[in-house]
Amino acid sequence: MIAETGHYALVLALGLALIQSFVPLIGARLRDAALMNVARSAALAQLLFVASSFVALVALHVTSDFSVANVYENSHSMKPLIYKITGVWGNHEGSMLLWVAILALFGGLLASVGNNLPLSLRAYVLSVQAWVASAFYLFILATSNPFLRIASPPIEGRDLNPVLQDIGLAVHPPMLYLGYVGFSISFSFAIAALIEGRIDAAWARWVRPWTLVAWIFLTLGIAMGSYWAYYELGWGGWWFWDPVENASLMPWLAGTALLHSALVMEKRNALKVWTILLSILTFSLSLLGTFLVRSGVLSSVHAFASDPTRGVFILMILCVFIGGSLVLYAARASSLKQGGLFAPISREGALVLNNLFLTTACATVFVGTLYPLGLEVLTGEKISVGAPFFNLTFGPLFVPLMIAVPFGPMLAWKRGDLVGAAQRLLAAGGAALVALALAWAWARGGSALAPLAIALAVFVIVGALSDLAERSALFRVPFATAVRRARGLPRSVWGTAFAHAGIGVALIGIVCETTWNSEYIGKIKPQDVAKVAGYELKLEGLTERQGPNYRELTALFDVSLDGQPLRPMTPSKRSFSTRGSSTTEAALLTRGASQLYISLGDMADDGAITVRIYHKPLVLLIWWGPVLMAFGGVLSLSDRRLRVGAPKPARALRGLQAAE
Amino acid sequence: MTLWFVFALMTVAAIFAVLWPLGRHNRPQAEGNETAVYKDQLAEIERDLAAGLIAAAEAEAARVEIGRRLLASAGSEPTPVMRSNLWWRRAVAAFALVGLPLIALAVYFPLGSPQLRDFPLAERTKTPDVKQPLENLVAQVEQHLEKNPTDGRGWNVLAPVLERLGRYSEAVRAYRNSIAYNGENAERRADLGEAIVAAAGGVVTGEAKSEFDRALALNADDPKANYFLGLAAEQDGRTADAAAIWRTLLAKAPTDASWRTLVQASLARVGGAAPALSDETMAAAKEIGEDDRDAMVRGMVERLASRLKQNGSDVDGWLRLVRAYIVMGERDKARNALTDARQAVANDAERLRQLNEGLKNLGLDG
């Protein structure tokens, strides 16, 4: 009964979404409060039904009900409980259900906390949400139904892909989806604004928390996925410019641009039309990411044909929503009123520059990801666009962006003083030079660009800190007064500083890891010693062990540095006989922010085993950076105060430009 | 019936969610608007100014700018909420009452399976399911092998059963494991080849052929390998070779070999002379499938019995054994097993109770 109830709940959610997608629209046109309020109760009821549908699927997986095809194909009775639960979204059907559940969650949240919105705006936004939801409910029910049954159920399931049997699956997809789907709210707000034909600074104030929430989760989701790949795949790589990764990076870049342009709109009522376009693009890229990952088009263009209905269905959703919203944008954008004015050198100008670089970077990734696919469809020729392409195009775009980052917060609104800002960044520049000198003196080997990149990162970090120091007037007033002023600063200022410093921190990690990473790859016998970056690793022995649904070969390494013994390391290799496949479990030894990394390869007949040992200096900074950024986002989110961009009064009215 | 009752309740809840706001009186509602936002912004400027975050001149400029927005928004505020539009409300209410259940049922009926109840695993292993004794046993052997993958005898037992169940690629893997842990002989190599052929839909692939060649290298007279090499020749279009191989095979075959008929039929297919058959042999040949299958099950049951002899504390195992004997129609053996089981758990009151209850469920005296 659980299975059928879950199925029926999903169907009812579709019915409610259909009603929600037109009744509030009519209500908003007629200015009828009751009809508009249908949006609210329908969104809440939708959340209730989708949530119970999701809970039903979880219950089916936990009790190993193999009469449900989805459970049979992706579960196994001997799997540990945590992987029975996470396995719910470790497959296509279940992950789509999670997608709509999160969509309903955002709709329900907007319905319950959106009392500060004008009634008609809320009705429009929830209607647009319901369009998206209806499309995806139909997609799930028609092509990827997780509740289909098997009349004579098999006694045992086929098990989950072993690589996915990891704690990473519990965290990574839900976070990523919270990010992807969260951007649907800013999309709905944008469409609502276009339909209503009214948009202003208040709009940006209302949409801000939603964009921030989505951005925070997407940042964490991407970082988490990268760390998961790092320790689970056994190659020590953390970013592969793999199309699936790019699919999540594109909405992040566009979403970051959106955050910044919405800031200009909220504070200065400028960049309105551009912000609307970015809202549409960000969610479109999220949809594109879902399409690329879920249609099977990525693993190979030919996998598309293996289940054409799914691919074609998502492609249709994609065309309708992206095409429809862009057409609406083209028709209505010109009717939106222009906003505030600003000079090229100003906070607004800096944010426009940021937007230009971020959207160009996003376009680069877009081309690098989709060009090979398009070429293969048209000519059948297979090319791979990998790290060299992205390093050559993405890198040069990010260097000027990073240089500009500390300047932004230092400039005044409307018209800024570049020389003044540069003077205030003297300390940061000095710190960068010191870092450059130190890095050059210490570096042994590696690219000559690496010390420069580290200097840039230090510039960004110290630049973010000097913004805080500047605002709290540190060094100019007595220390106690400065501390009081610092505590009185809006939390969004602190958030900005943390997020900007986070980029610098991540950059240091990236540069150090790629430049001074040392490795040992080779065969090693018990009692042999491998030497990597001053560490001595002695293979003590190999043992076999039986896990719940796998066999495990574990190696024991004694690690010592300059004769001082450290914690022993135990990398292992698991073989899963149900699927006839194996996974590597790398062993990690953390020293500060650096890590020693061992993963096992194949075993030879003479008892020797292939090992890959890496020493990765400061590698953890790569993920601490995004965590800092997300923390900055949380600080900014917790700042409930209104934001005002106090413009610098004009001395002369020359050099002003229209915002759009 | 309960299921339909739950469905009805859910539908009512969904309809209620739509009707509820329609039925409420049109009290003027607290509604956010832009003016409020701008007023808050003005207040924010005063706070910033007091905290010394912005200069007086900047604050003045900001005040002017926000004041302008405030005026503009007051001019363009949407018209206040109108009185209710009764006709539309009734239409929506009617649609929710009729349309929602109709949509739900129209979508659910073609997709759902309301007649199927849930089958959680725990419930299924408790109640004996006599319809699939073979699948259950296979699953148990698989679980055993999961934990002891080097148990060659286990793979030996499992492989032919998997093949019979049509799980050919799994059978191939089982045969390979059997060879790896039991050592190779002509029979196992030929069995592996046969499974590969089955997995390939009856085509003797190059991979299968090399297995048969290895089998012949170990024992030149192995009938299965010879037969399939003949089949390979036939599929390659070398019918004369095929006929020659099969004729040699028949010449060496013992008169009561169960596979004679098969080879003779194949020989006839490629145009070779097939000697006449006695009706008795034909009848025997038909029985083979059923017999083989029985032999597999028997093998597995015997393994279970010998395991229980060594360790008799497993109540579920005893019950399975007794049930298996009953299913195979061997009531005497079932009785013996029952006595053994009682002896094995006699010292443990809790297990004895479980055993007696289980036996009652099987329809045997407690």
Side-chain angles (χ1 to χ4, degrees), chain A residues 16-41:
Chain A
L16 281 169
L18 288 175
I19 289 183
Q20 189 190 328
S21 54
F22 72 94
V23 172
L25 276 187
I26 300 169
R29 283 267 163 229
L30 300 174
R31 301 287 309 150
D32 182 325
L35 289 178
M36 286 193 269
N37 274 331
V38 168
R40 194 168 150 211
S41 57

Side-chain angles (χ1 to χ4, degrees), chain A residues 1-5 7-9 11-12 14-16 18-19 22-23 26 30-38 40-42 45 49 52 60 63-67 76-78 115-120 122 141-142 145 148-156 196 198 200-203 205-206 265-269 337 412 414 471 485 488-490 546-551 576-578 580 641-649, chain B residues 2-3 6-8 10-11 13-24 26-27 29-34 37-38 40-42 44-45 47-48 51-54 57-59 61-63 65-66 69 72-73 76-86 88-89 92 95-96 100-101 103-105 107-108 111-122 124-125 132 135-136 139 142-143 145-149 155 173:
Chain A
M1 200 167 91
I2 298 176
E4 296 307 314
T5 312
H7 198 168
Y8 190 69
V11 173
L12 274 181
L14 167 69
L16 281 169
L18 288 175
I19 289 183
F22 72 94
V23 172
I26 300 169
L30 300 174
R31 301 287 309 150
D32 182 325
L35 289 178
M36 286 193 269
N37 274 331
V38 168
R40 194 168 150 211
S41 57
F49 283 119
S52 36
L60 293 171
T63 55
S64 296
D65 188 335
F66 297 124
S67 70
H76 192 280
S77 63
M78 288 193 324
N115 287 330
N116 60 339
L117 300 182
L119 211 52
S120 64
R122 190 177 72 188
L141 287 168
N145 195 327
L148 293 184
R149 307 292 294 275
I150 303 174
S152 57
I155 196 78
E156 193 47 273
E196 259 195 314
R198 269 157 35 86
D200 41 48
W203 183 93
R205 167 70 189 86
W206 289 319
M265 183 164 160
E266 180 179 349
K267 296 203 173 188
R268 293 276 295 121
N269 204 20
K337 268 190 290 179
K414 199 160 182 180
R471 280 171 203 253
R485 277 178 64 105
L489 284 179
Q546 177 65 44
N549 52 349
Y550 55 82
R551 283 189 74 72
F576 293 73
S577 57
T578 310
R641 290 157 67 173
L642 273 293
R643 296 198 189 153
V644 197
K648 203 163 185 199
Chain B
T2 354
L3 183 69
V6 172
F7 281 10
M10 289 163 72
T11 317
I15 294 173
F16 178 73
V18 181
L19 294 190
W20 185 58
L22 294 179
R24 295 218 306 172
N26 226 356
R27 275 176 289 129
Q29 267 186 307
E31 179 183 14
N33 56 38
E34 289 151 27
V37 172
Y38 297 133
D40 284 351
Q41 282 196 335
L42 281 175
E44 190 68 38
I45 290 178
R47 224 177 309 158
D48 281 359
L53 288 173
I54 50 176
E58 286 174 9
R63 252 184 241 128
E65 209 173 90
I66 295 167
R69 278 181 230 158
S73 77
S76 72
E77 278 289 284
T79 49
V81 172
M82 264 182 20
R83 284 181 47 210
S84 62
N85 191 318
L86 218 53
W88 271 105
R89 286 191 189 192
V92 170
F95 182 80
L100 198 57
I103 293 176
L105 290 180
V107 175
Y108 176 76
L111 297 171
S113 320
Q115 75 285 0
L116 290 183
R117 59 185 182 86
D118 283 352
F119 289 95
L121 194 66
R124 290 168 65 190
T125 40
Q132 339 171 289
E135 275 86 351
N136 271 329
E142 278 177 331
Q143 285 191 3
L145 287 171
E146 187 94 27
K147 293 202 174 107
N148 312 290
W155 290 115
R173 203 162 65 82

Side-chain angles (χ1 to χ4, degrees), chain B residues 319-331:
Chain B
L319 289 174
R320 257 192 329 265
L321 186 65
V322 172
R323 192 161 65 237
Y325 281 136
I326 295 174
V327 172
M328 291 192 300
E330 303 196 10
R331 293 199 73 88

Side-chain angles (χ1 to χ4, degrees), chain A residues 234-542:
Chain A
W235 288 100
W238 45 270
W239 191 262
F240 299 90
W241 291 110
D242 175 76
V244 181
E245 288 171 332
N246 293 347
S248 65
L249 184 62
M250 286 188 280
W252 187 84
L253 290 169
T256 311
L258 173 63
L259 267 187
H260 288 94
S261 81
L263 193 72
V264 177
M265 183 164 160
E266 180 179 349
K267 296 203 173 188
R268 293 276 295 121
N269 204 20
L271 291 187
K272 290 194 283 194
V273 179
W274 171 241
T275 305
I276 293 275
L277 181 63
L278 271 182
S279 301
I280 293 176
L281 285 184
T282 305
F283 185 59
S284 301
L285 288 168
S286 296
L287 281 181
L288 182 75
T290 309
F291 164 70
L292 288 178
V293 177
R294 285 288 143 231
S295 64
V297 75
L298 275 185
S299 50
S300 156
V301 174
H302 303 112
F304 200 76
S306 66
D307 193 354
T309 43
R310 263 180 205 171
V312 169
F313 204 118
I314 306 195
L315 197 60
M316 266 163 49
I317 295 181
L318 211 63
C319 290
V320 168
F321 279 99
I322 300 181
S325 54
L326 288 180
V327 165
L328 186 66
Y329 176 78
R332 303 288 299 223
S334 56
S335 69
L336 296 176
K337 268 190 290 179
Q338 283 206 349
L341 306 176
F342 57 84
I345 303 280
S346 63
R347 184 85 72 87
E348 293 93 322
L351 289 164
V352 169
L353 189 73
N354 144 306
N355 269 232
L356 281 180
F357 279 116
L358 281 173
T359 42
T360 316
C362 183
T364 312
V365 179
F366 185 85
V367 170
T369 311
L370 290 193
Y371 177 71
L373 288 178
L375 195 69
E376 193 179 339
V377 169
L378 291 179
T379 66
E381 187 186 346
K382 274 197 174 196
I383 59 164
S384 77
V385 173
F389 168 80
F390 292 105
N391 291 346
L392 274 178
T393 51
F394 203 75
L397 280 171
F398 251 68
V399 170
L401 178 62
M402 303 263 299
I403 294 176
V405 161
F407 283 93
M410 296 280 182
L411 291 169
W413 291 100
K414 199 160 182 180
R415 49 185 76 73
D417 175 7
L418 197 57
V419 182
Q423 277 168 353
R424 272 169 283 175
L425 284 171
L426 273 183
L433 284 179
V434 172
L436 180 65
L438 282 180
W440 234 311
W442 277 46
R444 290 180 296 271
S447 162
L449 287 176
L452 283 173
I454 288 184
L456 178 61
V458 169
F459 178 63
V460 172
I461 298 172
V462 180
L465 295 180
S466 28
D467 182 43
L468 286 180
E470 189 65 36
R471 280 171 203 253
S472 55
L474 193 69
F475 308 127
R476 277 187 280 137
V477 294
F479 185 69
T481 321
V483 170
R484 200 164 38 79
R485 277 178 64 105
R487 289 178 56 174
L489 284 179
R491 262 176 281 176
S492 63
V493 171
W494 284 94
T496 308
F498 273 109
H500 286 177
I503 313 173
V505 170
L507 180 65
I508 293 184
I510 293 171
V511 172
C512 290
E513 196 278 328
T514 46
T515 315
W516 294 294
N517 157 31
S518 41
E519 63 182 28
Y520 170 95
I521 299 179
K523 277 189 183 170
I524 184 168
K525 280 186 180 172
Q527 306 306 324
D528 280 358
V529 174
K531 287 189 183 133
V532 177
Y535 291 87
E536 295 195 349
L537 300 103
K538 183 173 173 202
L539 177 59
E540 281 293 329
L542 296 160

Side-chain angles (χ1 to χ4, degrees), chain A residues 228-237 240 518-524 530 532 537 539 542 552-557 559 569-574 582-589 595-603 608-616:
Chain A
W228 186 15
Y230 167 73
Y231 75 73
E232 179 72 23
L233 295 183
W235 288 100
F240 299 90
S518 41
E519 63 182 28
Y520 170 95
I521 299 179
K523 277 189 183 170
I524 184 168
V532 177
L537 300 103
L539 177 59
L542 296 160
E552 190 171 34
L553 176 73
T554 311
L556 177 66
F557 281 90
V559 187
M569 295 174 73
T570 52
S572 66
K573 220 180 135 131
R574 293 179 179 170
S582 61
T583 62
T584 58
E585 301 291 316
L588 301 171
L589 178 68
Q595 277 191 329
L596 211 55
Y597 181 113
I598 310 182
S599 82
L600 296 183
D602 292 328
M603 188 133 163
I609 189 158
T610 317
V611 288
R612 286 188 291 274
I613 306 176
Y614 303 93
H615 177 253
K616 296 181 170 287

